[in-house]
């Protein structure tokens, strides 16, 4: 009896989600969604589990959200998986986080290939442990010709570091006479960032109730719509993503200008 009731309830939830998905697909979807996945540690603490258990659960959410984002028609999903500042965490936690890409890709890569997902990474790949680098490179190579959803991991990524690297490259090229200072423009800077082949995020999501950017895509988020939720990342699900998308679809993006009807 109870099992039947639970199944009926799940069916109602999934029908409701399907309806919301169909309605959202009739309007402008965000092409690029970027997510600061936060709250894994608190999720674990609430259950008296070690922090790494929260990260493991967070990895499962990554699978769920990637599948759903692909299904709904999102073009790019950027996930902040490890920042240049996260090295300050205890070694055990860092080692665990560095194993997650392998764990994730080890079980999920065939599905990503089948689903036409292209895996990308932004961040300093050179200073990652060999095993992490190998797993990520393999996934990037094996999915390079896919043209569906771009699943872009920000791994060992820091926005200030990215900007410093871009400035260094530009200065070098000016010194070598390859470009002149008067060609330095927003477009040129875009081309020296780790996101040079991606569109700017339309929607930024941060979970767990924290309302800050934590050194994430500072340049690229200039005109992005922000959406914050108290939900901890391991509890984030398809319905939460729909909440964020529906909120985005009600926004009035003006990019500093006015909408047509407001001009007079
Ligand atoms: C922040 O939560 C989360 C991280 C630093 C790691 C995020 C990583 C994942 C969600 C898994 C990544 C999966 C793949 C496939 C690479 P926190 O630990 O700071 O949480 P807290 O603020 O509650 O302590």
């Amino acid at each position: 009896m109870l099992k039947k009731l639970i199944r009926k309830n799940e069916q109602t939830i999934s029908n409701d989600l399907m309806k919301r998905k169909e309605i959202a697909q009739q309007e402008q979807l965000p092409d690029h969604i970027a997510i600061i996945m936060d709250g894994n540690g608190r999720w674990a603490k609430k259950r008296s589990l070690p922090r790494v258990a929260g990260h493991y659960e967070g990895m499962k959410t990554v699978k769920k959200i990637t599948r759903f984002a692909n299904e709904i028609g999102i073009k790019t999903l950027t996930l902040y998986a490890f920042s240049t500042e996260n090295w300050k965490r205890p070694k055990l936690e860092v080692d665990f986080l560095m194993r997650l890409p392998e764990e994730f890709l080890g079980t999920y890569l065939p599905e990503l290939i089948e689903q036409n997902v292209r895996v990308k990474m932004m961040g300093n790949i050179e200073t990652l442990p060999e095993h992490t680098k190998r797993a990520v490179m393999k996934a990037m190579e094996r999915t390079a010709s896919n043209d569906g959803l771009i699943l872009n991991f920000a791994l060992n990524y820091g926005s200030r570091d990215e900007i410093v690297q871009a400035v260094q490259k530009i200065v070098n090229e000016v010194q070598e006479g390859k470009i002149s200072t008067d060609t330095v423009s927003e477009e040129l800077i875009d081309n020296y960032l780790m996101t040079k082949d991606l569109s700017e995020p339309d929607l930024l999501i941060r979970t767990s109730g924290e309302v800050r950017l934590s050194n994430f895509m500072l340049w690229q988020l200039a005109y992005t719509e922000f959406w914050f939720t108290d939900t901890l990342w391991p509890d984030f699900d398809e319905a939460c993503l729909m909440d964020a998308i529906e909120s985005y679809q009600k926004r009035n993006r003006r990019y500093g200008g006015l909408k047509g009807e407001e001009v007079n």
Side-chain angles (χ1 to χ4, degrees), residues 55-71:
H55 294 314
Y56 193 79
E57 209 57 31
M59 180 192 71
K60 293 194 205 158
T61 305
V62 170
K63 285 190 190 175
K64 192 161 54 183
I65 294 304
T66 303
R67 270 193 201 117
F68 191 66
N70 194 21
E71 206 180 293

Side-chain angles (χ1 to χ4, degrees), residues 6 22 29 140 196 223:
I6 293 174
E22 276 165 29
L29 284 168
M140 290 198 294
K196 66 178 163 52
Y223 285 104

Side-chain angles (χ1 to χ4, degrees), residues 37-42 51 55 81 86 89 97 100 104 233:
M37 309 180 287
D38 198 6
N40 295 347
R42 275 163 284 167
R51 291 178 56 79
H55 294 314
N86 286 151
R89 294 190 177 203
L97 284 169
L100 279 186
F104 173 81
W233 178 249

Side-chain angles (χ1 to χ4, degrees), residues 36-45 51 54-63 79-83 86 89 93 97 99-105 108 151 153-155 206-208 210 212 232-234:
I36 303 178
M37 309 180 287
D38 198 6
N40 295 347
R42 275 163 284 167
W43 183 93
K45 196 172 173 205
R51 291 178 56 79
H55 294 314
Y56 193 79
E57 209 57 31
M59 180 192 71
K60 293 194 205 158
T61 305
V62 170
K63 285 190 190 175
L79 301 176
Y80 203 7
F82 193 90
S83 76
N86 286 151
R89 294 190 177 203
E93 185 172 344
L97 284 169
R99 288 276 168 202
L100 279 186
E102 274 165 281
E103 173 75 25
F104 173 81
L105 294 164
Y108 193 42
L151 175 60
F153 285 108
L155 198 56
R206 182 166 188 153
T207 59
S208 90
E210 307 294 351
R212 55 176 172 264
L232 305 174
W233 178 249

Side-chain angles (χ1 to χ4, degrees), residues 1-209:
M1 177 69 178
L2 186 63
K3 263 192 189 159
K4 239 187 189 171
L5 264 176
I6 293 174
R7 218 174 302 133
K8 193 155 180 251
N9 191 30
E10 280 172 357
Q11 194 57 47
T12 315
I13 293 169
S14 103
N15 287 347
D16 177 51
L17 195 64
M18 285 307 130
K19 251 183 248 150
R20 292 175 70 189
K21 191 180 118 186
E22 276 165 29
I23 293 170
Q25 282 171 318
Q26 286 159 20
E27 289 179 46
Q28 181 76 45
L29 284 168
D31 274 347
H32 184 170
I33 300 181
I35 309 185
I36 303 178
M37 309 180 287
D38 198 6
N40 295 347
R42 275 163 284 167
W43 183 93
K45 196 172 173 205
K46 268 170 62 181
R47 290 160 180 77
S48 309
L49 294 169
R51 291 178 56 79
V52 294
H55 294 314
Y56 193 79
E57 209 57 31
M59 180 192 71
K60 293 194 205 158
T61 305
V62 170
K63 285 190 190 175
K64 192 161 54 183
I65 294 304
T66 303
R67 270 193 201 117
F68 191 66
N70 194 21
E71 206 180 293
I72 197 170
I74 303 302
K75 305 264 188 324
T76 307
L77 180 65
T78 293
L79 301 176
Y80 203 7
F82 193 90
S83 76
T84 44
E85 288 73 37
N86 286 151
W87 296 107
K88 295 179 204 150
R89 294 190 177 203
K91 184 174 178 328
L92 188 125
E93 185 172 344
V94 169
D95 288 350
F96 189 88
L97 284 169
M98 286 297 143
R99 288 276 168 202
L100 279 186
E102 274 165 281
E103 173 75 25
F104 173 81
L105 294 164
T107 56
Y108 193 42
L109 186 57
E111 186 180 326
L112 292 174
I113 295 170
E114 194 196 304
Q115 300 290 314
N116 197 25
V117 172
R118 179 164 187 191
V119 177
K120 282 191 169 231
M121 184 209 135
M122 63 179 188
N124 294 316
I125 196 161
E126 287 316 317
T127 44
L128 289 175
E130 241 355 275
H131 60 88
T132 316
K133 209 191 309 183
R134 224 178 6 250
V136 175
M137 296 285 280
K138 177 178 158 197
M140 290 198 294
E141 279 162 22
R142 300 273 305 277
T143 61
S145 57
N146 289 355
D147 58 6
L149 172 79
I150 295 174
L151 175 60
N152 180 37
F153 285 108
L155 198 56
N156 196 14
Y157 171 85
S159 183
R160 288 184 173 181
D161 172 58
E162 176 191 29
I163 293 169
V164 168
Q165 288 189 37
V167 172
Q168 284 170 341
K169 281 187 213 146
I170 294 170
V171 170
N172 278 341
E173 301 213 344
V174 169
Q175 280 172 346
E176 288 167 12
K178 290 187 183 153
I179 54 173
S180 65
T181 43
D182 53 359
T183 61
V184 178
S185 62
E186 291 188 16
E187 289 71 27
L188 182 123
I189 293 172
D190 275 337
N191 280 320
Y192 285 79
L193 295 174
M194 293 167 180
T195 47
K196 66 178 163 52
D197 300 319
L198 303 176
S199 63
E200 287 174 4
D202 299 294
L203 173 63
L204 170 84
I205 296 172
R206 182 166 188 153
T207 59
S208 90

